[in-house]
Amino acid sequence: MPLFHHRKKLSDDTMLNGAKVVTATHPKAIVSEQFRTVRTNIEFASIDAPIKTIMFTSADASEGKSTVSANVAITWAQQGRKVLFVDADLRRPTLHSTFNVNNTQGLTTILTQDKIESFQENVQNTSVENLSILTSGPIPPNPAELLNSHRMNKLIAQLREEFDIVVFDVPPMLTVTDAQLLTAKVDGVVLVVRFGVTTKAAIARTKELLDLANANVLGYVMNDATGEAEGRGYGYGYGYGYGYGYGKTDGNGSK
């Protein structure tokens, strides 16, 4: 039986209902410990150059990037770090649904106003201590242009000064150019792949695009590693290579 199959099932569940933040609701659960392990491994991968801005992406939609990024962001906040979680997916935003907040203002509001310095007006607190969020704001007609703008560069520079960790949830690499445009603006990139859903070809093409963008790829997170690809199972693993028949990795996903 092949490790990956080519059936793709797009789901709007996370966009409509938000990601499942098990690290906040059940911090002692086994899956929460797995997210903490992912956080620790990311820190080990960046030990020579501390990471302050990091983005989570995937090859395609419905592969779990929003769930992974939200839970890892929470684990940093629970560690005592001052964290900002930014919804930079300006096409299929989920952050406002995850935390059940208003999305009338957010990232797009900041990027279309005169004063970037007033970004704090659009940052919202959460019930998780040390965790603030910046929702996407209204979906714009030109997401790529906004994310690639000088204002975005200036905003990221200010966020680096204000927070210990800034986590960006961005669109999938193979659907739009938005994620590629942001890779050069952040300190590190983590790719989320979903067991039984993400194909070897998609991983290979995504890795090529990240290399072309000179991205600092910290590794990948194997989502739904129990093999129940319909979302009933949980399990998260972290690796430093791009395996499954691609790249210089062993059977455990390590170099």
Side-chain angles (χ1 to χ4, degrees), residues 46-242:
S46 57
I47 195 163
D48 290 332
I51 298 295
K52 294 203 69 173
T53 55
I54 182 171
M55 77 177 216
F56 287 78
T57 188
S58 58
D60 210 338
S62 302
E63 293 180 351
K65 66 177 179 61
S66 296
T67 297
V68 172
S69 57
N71 281 282
V72 175
I74 289 171
T75 67
W76 266 311
Q78 291 170 334
Q79 196 183 38
R81 312 287 289 276
K82 185 179 180 182
V83 181
L84 178 67
F85 186 26
V86 181
D87 195 341
D89 190 337
L90 304 184
R91 300 171 193 266
R92 290 167 55 91
T94 62
L95 186 54
H96 61 288
S97 297
T98 298
F99 289 93
N100 194 27
V101 298
N102 195 295
N103 193 33
T104 56
Q105 293 185 319
L107 178 58
T108 57
T109 310
I110 298 172
L111 297 178
T112 54
Q113 68 184 10
D114 292 332
K115 294 184 178 180
I116 297 293
E117 294 79 5
S118 59
F119 73 88
Q120 284 282 12
E121 298 174 1
N122 298 286
V123 171
Q124 303 184 57
N125 294 323
T126 71
S127 60
V128 179
E129 187 177 1
N130 301 317
L131 179 67
S132 301
I133 58 174
L134 178 59
T135 63
S136 68
I139 296 177
N142 57 339
E145 287 80 1
L146 286 180
L147 294 176
N148 198 37
S149 65
H150 176 68
R151 288 185 178 185
M152 187 66 182
N153 294 340
K154 189 175 180 181
L155 175 62
I156 291 176
Q158 293 197 7
L159 297 181
R160 288 176 60 89
E161 295 297 321
E162 184 71 22
F163 296 91
D164 296 325
I165 297 284
V166 184
V167 178
F168 293 90
D169 180 14
V170 305
M173 291 289 296
L174 301 184
T175 56
V176 291
T177 62
D178 303 16
Q180 291 175 253
L181 296 172
L182 278 178
T183 55
K185 304 178 188 293
V186 297
D187 298 330
V189 179
V190 173
L191 177 65
V192 177
V193 298
R194 189 175 180 185
F195 184 92
V197 174
T198 312
T199 66
K200 291 187 289 185
I203 295 172
R205 178 56 181 157
T206 300
K207 181 62 165 59
E208 290 174 0
L209 292 175
L210 289 169
D211 288 344
L212 286 172
N214 294 316
N216 179 23
V217 182
L218 301 175
Y220 66 86
V221 174
M222 172 67 80
N223 176 28
D224 205 4
T226 58
E228 297 186 28
E230 297 307 315
R232 294 183 298 276
Y234 292 93
Y236 298 84
Y238 187 82
Y240 297 94
Y242 293 83

